Amino acid sequence: MIHFVLLISRQGKVRLTKWYSPYSQKERAKVIRELSGVILTRGPKLCNFVDWRGFKVVYKRYASLYFCMCIDQDDNELEILEIIHHYVEILDRYFGSVCELDLIFNFHKAYYILDELLIAGELQESSKKTVARLIAAQDSLVETAKEQANSISNIIAQATK
Amino acid sequence: MLGQGDADASDCMNDILAQVATKTESNKNAGNAILYECVETIMSIEDNGGLRVLAINILGRFLSNRDNNIRYVALNMLMKAMTVDAQAVQRHRATILECVKDSDASIRKRALELLYLLVNENNVKPLTKELIEYLEVSDQEFKGDLTAKICSIVEKFSPEKFWYIDQMLKVLSEAGNFVKDEVWHALIVVISNASDLHGYTVRALYRAFQTSAEQETLVRVAVWCIGEYGDLLVNNVGMLNIEEPVTVTESDAVDVVEVAIKRHTSDLTTKAMALVALLKLSSRFPSCSERIRDIIVQHKGSLVLELQQRSIEFNSIFEKHQNIRSALVERMPVLDEATFSGRRAGSVPGAVSTSSGASLNLPNGVAKPAAAPIADLLDLSSDDAPAPSSSGGDFLQDLLGIDLLPTPAATGASQTPKAAADVLLDLLSIGTPTTGQSNLSTADILSSSQDNKILLANLDGLSSPSLSAQAALPATSAPVLDLLDGFAPSPKKQEVNGTAYPSIVAYESSSLKIAFNFAKSPGNPQTTLIQATFTNLSPNVYTDFLFQAAVPKFLQLHLDPASSNSLPATGNGSITQSLSVTNSQHGKKSLIMRIRIAYKINGKDVLEEGQINNFPREL
């Protein structure tokens, strides 16, 4: 299973973390520090798999972001590379030519998409189309809710409460 | 895994697996991922020859893929495949060797581990050659790993001693600093066992020293071998056909050891070993004896205790014990390889026997920590002589540090009584006198009414280096060591003329006075009967008064019980005690004794110690 997902920028700033195994706050901070150190110092030509603390960490670099996933020893690393690529493609399709800025300003959407993709550390949705459709549906829900909240009747009701 | 252990399920899977494996295109990463998973499945289900071959082929393709990830994954898989089908993996040995030299660190590590698993008797020679060549160009972090692997390969699979020594020398010259201690210990054991190769080894080491003297372990091994086999080096003994003759003079050999000592980068072990080697050389090359002595003397004032101790001891051997020197530095007994590797496998520093066997380590003049007592001394079931059959993982270190046999042994005390003495030590439950207690405990031994000469022998052996090491008495180390030598025919005290046996004031302090009265037993001129009188000079009453004495080994001491153990104050009464001393060197050496008095004042323990040098000469 995937134990956690980490998105780190090249300068070492954490953009996204998702934990599928129990880690306390302190442990999380420690893990992030350690892994950042290990991965950011690796050269470009080195292979994308690192042995760390008995686990394997698979990472891929897209532009200025490192996508890291920590897996068990007996998992297939090439498969995880595929999963990472899958995720990035969905993000790309959703945001349209995604860049780090998109993830900074819409990190909640990035989390939604990741939750559609992985459950309990395993891949649950392998179709990009399905995920796109679901997120679009969610977005429209959000829009309607917003409009409702802004409608005149609501404002009056709120004011006279 | 579904198919594991189940032949039926595996059969069903076979078709699917075969189809998937052949149809998947591998130019995309997804394809590779699928193939990888396939191979993993094939490896874990029930044996099917065709599929296995297919799997290995896929892995071979992976290995030659340019993508690092794929190669890494392939190496990983191959390691697991080794358990299943080693033959097939052997075929890819050349590619794996290439991977060891890859620029990617993780791939290098994996490839090295895989190679290590691949080594067997047939391919060990070319493989080692490749690895050693690579060792020269590899970078620092990798060197440590690589060195360890090469050493264990060489050790496990070496077909002949000559090749083993050769390879190890190369490794030492390249990466000696990364070599672990047990590795070069094992090398020395092998060298000492390969007696026909001694000449070759020492010459090769000499040459290697000229080129790569900054590798610490190489220096150590070279220094040890030159010390042991220096004469073979100089006389070009035992030349093998492939060797070129090299002329080495005695002073060249001494030069090497001198350089080893003088260099500021040499650490303590190297310098200590070099001192021992110099001593050996001084006996083997008499012409260089003076020069060697000069070098040794320079360390007399060293701030490091070990070096100071050794140089002082060796210097005293030079001055006073010329006759036993050659016996001391004879060739080392061959260390038995089988027992050595057995011990090494089973030894752990924690397996130290904390019995007083540790104390007997001290006579060897090695202040090594209790990690490796020569505990076999206490093993009374074996009747071997202790020195070569020591136990503990670091016994070799002890032996390397000291090839002086215990001085009591050199002067003739037999070894088995030594074992008996150990029992005695145990019985008297002397605690482990690791540091300064040794004097006190030995005094304990002798104050009891045991008339055991061997105990005295122990005392002598213990007192000499341990005194110099601990300086328990308020004296500096050099004169204290001379306690042993002070018994030589140059007494420090004045000649006593006058009446035959005058009584002396043996000991006087502000609180206590001891007087000795002498009488000779009529038929036996060697035996002296002493009447000791203790007088209290302080206003306090002393209770639990206990007098103990220790003598060197040419004397025998017998103590009778004291008249009482309570000493009234200010000379109102006294305690008397009889001692009898037998001097086996009567006429040649005079009596000398160290004493210790213990008593209580109002329940508080007081201890006084002293040495009595002023015995009349004729006793």
Side-chain angles (χ1 to χ4, degrees), chain A residues 42 44-51 56 58-60 73-83 85 89, chain B residues 28-34 36-37 40 62 67-70 72-73 76 80 103-107 109-110:
Chain A
R42 281 172 75 82
K45 295 280 193 226
L46 299 186
C47 76
N48 299 36
F49 315 124
V50 181
D51 278 309
K56 298 193 221 191
V58 182
Y59 72 92
K60 196 129 198 281
Q73 279 290 350
D74 44 6
D75 282 343
N76 186 342
E77 302 104 321
L78 297 175
E79 197 189 321
I80 302 295
L81 272 180
E82 283 301 302
I83 295 180
H85 193 65
E89 278 183 342
Chain B
K28 295 221 133 165
N29 187 38
N32 283 331
I34 296 174
Y36 177 45
E37 197 62 46
E40 192 158 346
F62 273 13
D67 187 0
N68 281 346
N69 297 338
I70 313 282
Y72 181 86
V73 151
N76 239 349
K80 287 188 224 160
S103 44
D104 182 346
S106 345
I107 290 192
K109 225 165 38 144
R110 280 276 182 271

Side-chain angles (χ1 to χ4, degrees), chain B residues 307-324:
Chain B
L307 297 180
Q308 183 186 74
Q309 174 182 345
R310 285 185 194 213
S311 82
I312 290 174
E313 285 175 1
F314 296 166
N315 195 34
S316 76
I317 292 181
F318 269 109
E319 284 171 8
K320 298 165 188 143
H321 301 279
Q322 293 278 353
N323 44 339
I324 55 170

Side-chain angles (χ1 to χ4, degrees), chain B residues 353 355-358 360 374-381 419 421-423 426:
Chain B
S353 61
S355 64
S356 42
L360 295 172
I374 305 194
D376 264 348
L377 285 176
L378 228 28
D379 181 9
L380 298 175
S381 55
D422 309 348
V423 182
D426 256 345

Side-chain angles (χ1 to χ4, degrees), chain B residues 362-585:
Chain B
L362 294 179
N364 295 329
V366 173
K368 292 269 195 290
I374 305 194
D376 264 348
L377 285 176
L378 228 28
D379 181 9
L380 298 175
S381 55
S382 73
D383 294 330
D384 308 337
S389 57
S390 342
S391 72
D394 267 323
F395 82 108
L396 185 57
Q397 211 166 24
D398 280 331
L399 282 176
L400 289 177
I402 34 90
D403 45 11
L404 300 174
L405 302 174
T407 38
T411 46
S414 56
Q415 299 295 343
T416 28
K418 214 173 167 91
D422 309 348
V423 182
L424 239 24
L425 280 175
D426 256 345
L427 286 178
L428 301 173
S429 29
I430 313 294
T432 42
T434 39
T435 52
Q437 313 310 316
S438 50
N439 308 318
L440 313 177
S441 52
T442 50
D444 269 339
I445 302 169
L446 292 150
S447 70
S448 61
S449 321
Q450 302 289 341
D451 205 339
N452 198 334
K453 179 172 184 182
I454 297 91
L455 290 173
L456 301 173
N458 262 343
L459 164 66
D460 186 28
L462 278 167
S463 64
S464 138
S466 61
L467 285 178
S468 63
Q470 276 83 35
L473 293 183
T476 57
S477 48
V480 168
L481 173 62
D482 278 337
L483 182 65
L484 172 57
D485 304 319
F487 303 145
S490 52
K492 301 187 191 116
K493 55 194 182 336
Q494 306 296 330
E495 291 273 333
V496 177
N497 298 320
T499 52
Y501 313 109
S503 43
I504 58 169
V505 173
Y507 176 84
E508 186 156 18
S509 75
S510 57
S511 45
L512 187 62
K513 182 168 132 195
I514 306 179
F516 278 0
N517 293 314
F518 302 103
K520 277 284 188 192
S521 75
N524 193 349
Q526 290 189 335
T527 307
T528 313
L529 303 163
I530 306 178
Q531 177 101 330
T533 313
F534 308 101
T535 320
N536 185 346
L537 301 175
S538 82
N540 305 313
V541 176
Y542 297 163
T543 50
D544 293 334
F545 192 92
L546 183 63
F547 168 74
Q548 297 162 337
V551 290
K553 72 179 177 335
F554 63 86
L555 298 175
Q556 280 182 9
L557 175 68
H558 187 96
L559 267 148
D560 288 331
S563 61
S564 91
N565 63 349
S566 166
L567 195 55
T570 338
N572 287 335
S574 60
I575 297 178
T576 52
Q577 190 163 7
S578 295
L579 316 89
S580 103
V581 180
T582 306
N583 185 353
S584 60
Q585 304 263 359

Side-chain angles (χ1 to χ4, degrees), chain B residues 188 191-192 198 202 220-233 257 273 276-281 284-285 328-335 399-400 402-404:
Chain B
I188 290 192
I191 291 181
S192 75
H198 284 168
V202 69
R220 284 185 204 157
V221 176
V223 153
W224 188 86
C225 282
I226 291 182
E228 269 300 298
Y229 309 122
D231 44 341
L232 299 181
L233 173 64
V257 187
M273 285 175 74
V276 174
L278 281 177
L279 183 69
K280 293 187 207 173
L281 284 180
R284 304 205 207 292
F285 300 156
L328 280 177
V329 298
E330 272 172 10
R331 286 261 195 280
M332 286 278 293
V334 173
L335 304 156
L399 282 176
L400 289 177
I402 34 90
D403 45 11
L404 300 174

